[in-house]
Amino acid sequence: MLEQFARSPFDAGFESVLVLIILIALEAVLSADNAIALASIAKGLENPELQRNALNLGLVMAYFLRVALIIGATWVINFWQFEVLGAAYLLWLVYQYFARKSKEEEEGEHKARFTSLWQAIPIIAITDLAFSLDSVTTAIAVSNDIWLIILGGTVGIIALRFLAGLFIRWLEEFTHLEDAGYVTVGFVGIRLLVKAYDTTLVPPEWMMFIVIAVIFAWGFSQRTEVMAEAVETVKED
């Protein structure tokens, strides 16, 4: 492990550049479901400024947790208990969201899920960490150079911040998008659970992408009434 850190990034040749591009591409592809999950969590704060601050600070914390995960990845992947913990956490988030939503629909009243910024920040950071269990494992399979994986993860988390900010705006526009975000979280949680039990039962990556694409299509299938009226007004003009 120490030898991997001792290797200078400046010694990298064309192969390292190519691997870095692959790692960044993997981060981009695997971060879409993560981004909508983090946006949905940040949406639990009613103030838009608090939502932005929660994403910024939460992802700074998440970055350091990711680096720690990458450094210890060769040790972590030997323990299926970490995947079970990650799966249990994600499924707990899904249960909390839909239980709260059901209660709000019965009472006819919507309340913010978080009363302060500092409640949302650790939830965002830990959720990103749980999502990272799969992506870091994939990155380790692509390259043994720790500095390359960390650099790819750095670019990925910056992209994740902007993508999550975009999803926060879309959550206001599309009726089912927040539900779709938490369904995706549940899907990732179940996948981690299955992987911990038996890796041979885990669906292939292409199937995961298709399922997530279908969930996203449903999430974007219906605009909120306000946005639908605004779109109709623009068409008439």
Side-chain angles (χ1 to χ4, degrees), residues 32-226:
D33 53 353
N34 194 353
I36 190 173
L38 299 187
S40 299
I41 291 169
K43 198 72 174 59
L45 292 161
E46 290 188 343
N47 187 315
E49 185 178 352
L50 288 178
Q51 292 170 8
R52 289 191 295 271
N53 290 339
L55 280 176
N56 290 336
L57 296 174
L59 286 175
V60 167
M61 184 185 294
Y63 174 73
F64 289 106
L65 290 176
R66 271 202 198 197
V67 171
L69 178 62
I70 290 168
I71 293 172
T74 53
W75 176 75
V76 169
I77 59 177
N78 291 323
F79 294 90
W80 56 267
Q81 290 89 342
F82 286 102
E83 289 176 335
V84 171
L85 284 173
Y89 172 76
L90 293 178
L91 293 173
W92 173 78
L93 279 182
V94 176
Y95 168 76
Q96 288 284 98
Y97 169 74
F98 283 107
R100 184 184 181 90
K101 183 179 179 182
S102 176
K103 185 177 178 182
E104 287 176 352
E105 288 175 351
E106 288 178 5
E107 296 177 353
E109 182 182 3
H110 172 73
K111 298 177 182 178
R113 290 197 294 280
F114 303 113
T115 56
S116 75
L117 175 69
W118 303 107
Q119 287 180 326
I121 289 172
I123 299 293
I124 288 173
I126 296 171
T127 301
D128 178 76
L129 183 66
F131 269 83
S132 298
L133 287 171
D134 252 2
S135 61
V136 168
T137 303
T138 304
I140 292 292
V142 172
S143 173
N144 289 323
D145 290 325
I146 297 297
W147 74 267
L148 270 179
I149 298 171
I150 291 176
L151 186 55
T154 301
V155 175
I157 211 158
I158 292 170
L160 180 61
R161 168 62 186 88
F162 289 103
L163 193 57
L166 188 61
F167 271 115
I168 280 184
R169 293 199 294 273
W170 284 339
L171 287 171
E172 296 284 354
E173 297 182 28
F174 297 94
T175 305
H176 303 304
L177 191 56
E178 190 169 11
D179 288 350
Y182 278 96
V183 170
T184 303
V185 173
F187 175 69
V188 173
I190 291 171
R191 188 174 185 275
L192 276 176
L193 206 57
V194 171
K195 186 179 178 184
Y197 176 70
D198 187 350
T199 54
T200 61
L201 298 177
V202 179
E205 295 289 342
W206 62 265
M207 186 178 295
M208 182 185 76
F209 294 144
I210 290 174
V211 171
I212 290 176
V214 170
I215 295 171
F216 273 38
W218 170 66
F220 286 105
S221 65
Q222 182 180 339
R223 291 182 182 272
T224 59
E225 291 183 8
V226 174

